[in-house]
Amino acid sequence: MPHIAILNRDAHHDLRVRPHGVNQPEDRMHFVPVVVGEFGHLVTHYPILFAKDAETGAFFAGAMLGFEPGENLFAAEPPSRDVYRPLNLQRVPFFTSGDNIAIDLDSPRVGTHADGQGLFDETGGPSPYLQGIMGVFQQLVPGLERTRAFIARLLQLRLIEPVTFDLTFDDGRTITTDGLYTIDQDALRGLPDEAALALFRDGSLHLMSLMIASLKQVPQLARRKNDQLTQGFSGLSGAFG
Amino acid sequence: MTESVHHIVIVGGGTAGWLTAGIIAARHKSRIQSGRFSVTLVESPNISIVGVGEGTWPTLRGTLEKIGVSETDFFRECDAAFKQGAKFAKWTTGTDDDYYYHPLMFPQGFTQQNLAPHWLRDGGGRSFCDAVSPQGQLCEAGLAPKMITTPEYQAVANYAYHLDAGKFAPFLMRHCTQKLGVRHVLADVTGVNQAGNGDIISVSTEQAGEVAGDLFVDCTGFHALLLGKALGVPFRDCSDVLFCDTALAVQVPFDEEDAPLASHTHSTALKAGWVWDIALPTRRGLGYVYSSRHTSEEAAHEELAAYVGPKFKDLKVRKIPIRSGHRETFWKNNCVAVGLAAGFLEPLEASAIVLIELSAKLIAEQMPANRQVMDIIARRFNETTLYRWGRIIDFLKLHYTLTQRTDTAFWRDNCDPATIPERLQNLMTLWTYQSPWFFDEFDRLEEVFPAASYQYVLYGMGFKTEVEDDEAADAVRARRLMGENLALTQRLRSQLPKNRDLIRKIHDFGLQPV
């Protein structure tokens, strides 16, 4: 069990956190849960899709960062490139506990690293870094509820359908994705006017359009994987690790 | 009376009445909404339903989906559980290790190749079921046929349900009246009013006056108030083939709330019949179906007590008469019988509810436009339904004729050729030299028991078919298909959750519609 403690300015005054460059499980997530408020940022890089929680079967929205478990095709991206990182990656190693922010003290990101970010300033107030984290949670917490409502609405109108991507890479490998869902565009076009107008007014139609547009990121993501594969294997044909 | 058929009157609630109402109303939904068609169900507030039918077929998934019921609601409100087939114990030799499965999945690659001959030559030490299907293994391991992420009504392994019949009828009633526009009249029928040609004009009721209609569906159970009493269609008894005529039923609580939950029906042969054992999330329902010509009620009671164990002394035993057989015709004039009013057979292969579904579907699909064409449709309905009853009787009898048990007169008498329908005798002669498959006579659309079911029972009970050597290409393909089945078995065994756990999750989280 990780050691998670509620953040406290006295106990955690000297802690430092490395937000980047630690090869941890969260850096290897291929499908990261997201909230509707970040769809506009996500759409410029990632396919936004639905998947089901393995424990409850409930739908959640996620950004696709890779095609297989353990694969994050953006992990090597330098922070200077300014590629948007989903809130659920930005928040690591922090959690919420009720109204408080908590921290995973066992995370290798957390320590007294000289190159880490401090959490509190000299006066005991939150550092700009911690303020940023608080800002992440201000989007994430209400965002979860809005996202759940958005999904419930789509399910009620039967606007979600399964989608499969068949991909072939230059090393000869093929991948068929499984367990992904997107907007059922035929069902959407078939909606009665009244329902379509209601979806426009409450903002759902805009979110659906972003999800549909984000499907164009799938070939981009595949190219990213292909580039990494061919670079990694140049001159080593047949030597698969 | 008008010539067009617009008003359907179903007499009798219960599983038959409400399922029929749901199937007809869902099929004619837009006509009902526009007021051009009506479905009325007249139900006595005083007669309780028989409600022992708790095993179903996979067809019920499609039926419930079609009438617009949520599978999650069905699980929650009817105490439903998964059923992946039946385990028949002690039917062949009667010893403790004697069992076989009749699963709900077709043998691997069934449409490409018949694996039975290959298995008969070289089964690799596996039972027929295990050689060709994963489902017996899934049942033995107590696994569910799907996952919480599998959408409603979709399966990883084919499945049907066990359900609480006492809750199923009210559940359907709510759906039919609230969502499908079925009119519900709570009243006791006191008389049936007929025209000169015998057609039913209306039923008189004590509380609601006369209820008139163009087509009447008799769902009055064993009473057969309309088709039997009013129209005088005789009953065709088949107790000369199927001997069981009585059931002693009990409900057994689980020792603890989270005890393992079987995902199949247990059917265990005793001295003068067999015990059904069906697990719902809340309790087990059991019943000893026996022949009163071969044992006494006291002896049957004792055998059931021995099966149940120490808990038996606290349980209430309900005695249910079984009159095996069916009406000579099912649709006469403007009246058609569905459910127990049409007939009843011992629940050995859970045929009661599937027959309701098939009959109601036929009525809904073939709904006569007017009185003139009704007789044509009635003739076709009777022909199809009579064929179905015949095939079910044959298939049930097959379980008895394949026994090697000679310990009691019940089992010996069952093998007497005089009690075996000629058609079944001929098939068994044929099957000595070729195994049932396609191109057999089981080619009717919606055949009740496909050739696969015959294979599972025949080879589960040690029947021998003489087989020639394979064509070389067939042998290669058969080995590949059996290999695929073993791989699938292994994959599903590691992937699927425990049956009890999935049902709890369905109660907690629900299944998704997609």
Side-chain angles (χ1 to χ4, degrees), chain A residues 52-59 155 158 160, chain B residues 148-152 505 509-510 512-514:
Chain A
K52 284 177 181 171
D53 183 287
E55 276 302 302
T56 67
F59 279 103
L155 283 172
R158 305 233 156 205
I160 296 181
Chain B
I148 191 67
T149 50
T150 316
E152 287 196 332
K505 277 191 180 182
F509 309 118
Q512 298 294 338
V514 281

Side-chain angles (χ1 to χ4, degrees), chain A:
Chain A
M1 282 294 286
H3 181 201
I4 295 174
I6 290 178
L7 208 56
N8 174 309
R9 82 182 65 174
D10 298 323
H12 304 133
H13 192 269
D14 297 327
L15 280 188
R16 291 187 165 267
V17 175
R18 281 178 178 148
H20 295 285
V22 185
N23 189 20
Q24 282 303 294
E26 61 269 15
D27 298 319
R28 296 191 291 269
M29 279 176 83
H30 77 299
F31 195 76
V32 179
V34 298
V35 294
V36 288
E38 49 183 341
F39 279 16
H41 294 290
L42 295 165
V43 70
T44 58
H45 292 99
Y46 315 105
I48 310 166
L49 297 153
F50 296 120
K52 284 177 181 171
D53 183 287
E55 276 302 302
T56 67
F59 279 103
F60 66 94
M64 199 162 146
L65 278 62
F67 293 102
E68 298 167 287
E71 175 180 80
N72 176 348
L73 296 164
F74 295 84
E77 199 77 15
S80 58
R81 283 275 190 87
D82 229 14
V83 170
Y84 178 81
R85 293 176 77 223
L87 296 171
N88 262 314
L89 292 183
Q90 293 182 40
R91 71 169 170 82
V92 180
F94 297 93
F95 299 85
T96 50
S97 170
D99 290 337
N100 299 306
I101 291 181
I103 184 167
D104 174 8
L105 293 172
D106 287 348
S107 166
R109 294 179 189 280
V110 179
T112 50
H113 326 288
D115 57 343
Q117 302 275 346
L119 303 180
F120 300 97
D121 61 21
E122 307 77 44
T123 64
S127 69
Y129 168 64
L130 184 57
Q131 282 176 19
I133 293 292
M134 288 156 74
V136 167
F137 282 116
Q138 274 159 19
Q139 296 175 68
L140 209 46
V141 174
L144 274 176
E145 204 39 60
R146 278 186 62 207
T147 308
R148 264 197 285 269
F150 170 63
I151 291 171
R153 190 109 166 77
L154 300 195
L155 283 172
Q156 184 202 355
L157 293 168
R158 305 233 156 205
L159 292 173
I160 296 181
E161 69 171 358
V163 62
T164 307
F165 304 108
D166 287 301
L167 304 155
T168 305
F169 298 97
D170 284 352
D171 66 349
R173 218 147 58 92
T174 60
I175 289 181
T176 302
T177 61
D178 186 32
L180 297 172
Y181 302 79
T182 185
I183 304 297
D184 182 339
Q185 297 184 49
D186 288 336
L188 180 59
R189 275 189 288 273
L191 280 183
D193 291 356
E194 205 181 325
L197 185 64
L199 288 175
F200 170 67
R201 291 288 179 220
D202 73 11
S204 299
L205 194 60
H206 175 61
L207 294 171
M208 280 188 271
S209 303
L210 290 174
M211 289 188 71
I212 292 165
S214 82
L215 292 172
K216 294 282 181 282
Q217 297 294 352
V218 174
Q220 297 297 326
L221 194 63
R223 185 187 301 172
R224 196 173 262 267
K225 180 179 171 78
N226 208 42
D227 288 350
Q228 293 187 6
L229 278 174
T230 48
Q231 280 162 24
F233 290 115
S234 59
L236 284 171
S237 63
F240 300 110

Side-chain angles (χ1 to χ4, degrees), chain B residues 244-481:
Chain B
C244 292
D245 57 9
T246 313
L248 296 179
V250 289
Q251 295 184 354
V252 184
F254 286 105
D255 290 330
E256 58 232 27
E257 211 178 292
D258 56 353
L261 185 65
S263 66
H264 55 277
T265 302
H266 280 272
S267 160
T268 305
L270 299 183
K271 284 181 185 152
W274 59 279
V275 170
W276 82 73
D277 182 347
I278 283 178
L280 301 186
T282 43
R283 57 156 169 88
R284 279 156 66 205
L286 281 86
Y288 183 14
V289 183
Y290 64 91
S291 161
S292 69
R293 285 169 284 175
H294 292 89
T295 191
S296 65
E297 191 176 331
E298 293 71 37
H301 213 266
E302 258 172 54
E303 273 193 280
L304 182 61
Y307 179 94
V308 174
K311 269 184 263 181
F312 185 78
K313 60 182 192 316
D314 306 322
L315 305 174
K316 197 176 135 244
V317 182
R318 193 173 147 211
K319 185 176 168 184
I320 303 158
I322 292 175
R323 193 180 173 205
S324 290
H326 53 83
R327 296 283 147 191
E328 281 188 358
T329 56
F330 307 94
W331 191 328
K332 190 180 177 198
N333 291 84
N334 64 338
C335 175
V336 53
V338 176
L340 300 175
F344 186 60
L345 298 170
E346 58 187 276
L348 186 57
E349 285 285 358
S351 49
I353 292 179
V354 70
L355 270 171
I356 295 170
E357 296 172 64
L358 289 171
S359 296
K361 202 173 141 198
L362 203 53
I363 298 166
E365 290 298 329
Q366 299 273 310
M367 183 57 68
N370 55 55
R371 181 64 187 86
Q372 285 84 340
V373 297
M374 193 184 287
D375 291 339
I376 302 168
I377 288 161
R379 208 160 28 246
R380 295 206 311 217
F381 182 93
N382 285 327
E383 192 195 319
T384 305
T385 309
L386 194 65
Y387 174 82
R388 284 174 176 160
W389 281 93
R391 297 301 68 71
I392 294 172
I393 292 167
D394 284 355
F395 189 64
L396 298 190
K397 183 65 174 180
L398 181 70
H399 294 67
Y400 290 102
T401 59
L402 293 171
T403 193
Q404 295 156 26
R405 288 181 66 152
T406 53
D407 53 321
T408 62
F410 175 79
W411 294 102
R412 290 191 299 268
D413 290 353
N414 255 306
C415 294
D416 178 352
T419 71
I420 305 173
E422 194 189 343
R423 191 174 180 282
L424 179 60
Q425 289 196 31
N426 286 335
L427 283 170
M428 288 180 66
T429 307
L430 183 67
W431 291 334
T432 310
Y433 303 99
Q434 63 182 65
S435 69
W437 195 45
F438 291 109
F439 315 114
D440 216 312
E441 61 181 325
F442 305 104
D443 52 0
R444 288 211 182 196
L445 202 61
E446 303 208 310
E447 177 71 44
V448 269
F449 291 100
S453 288
Y454 284 86
Q455 290 191 351
Y456 283 123
V457 174
L458 285 169
Y459 305 122
M461 291 189 75
F463 185 83
K464 292 278 177 275
T465 301
E466 288 179 22
V467 286
E468 301 275 328
D469 276 348
D470 264 334
E471 296 292 330
D474 287 350
V476 170
R477 189 164 54 183
R479 269 195 296 277
R480 176 174 61 76
L481 287 172

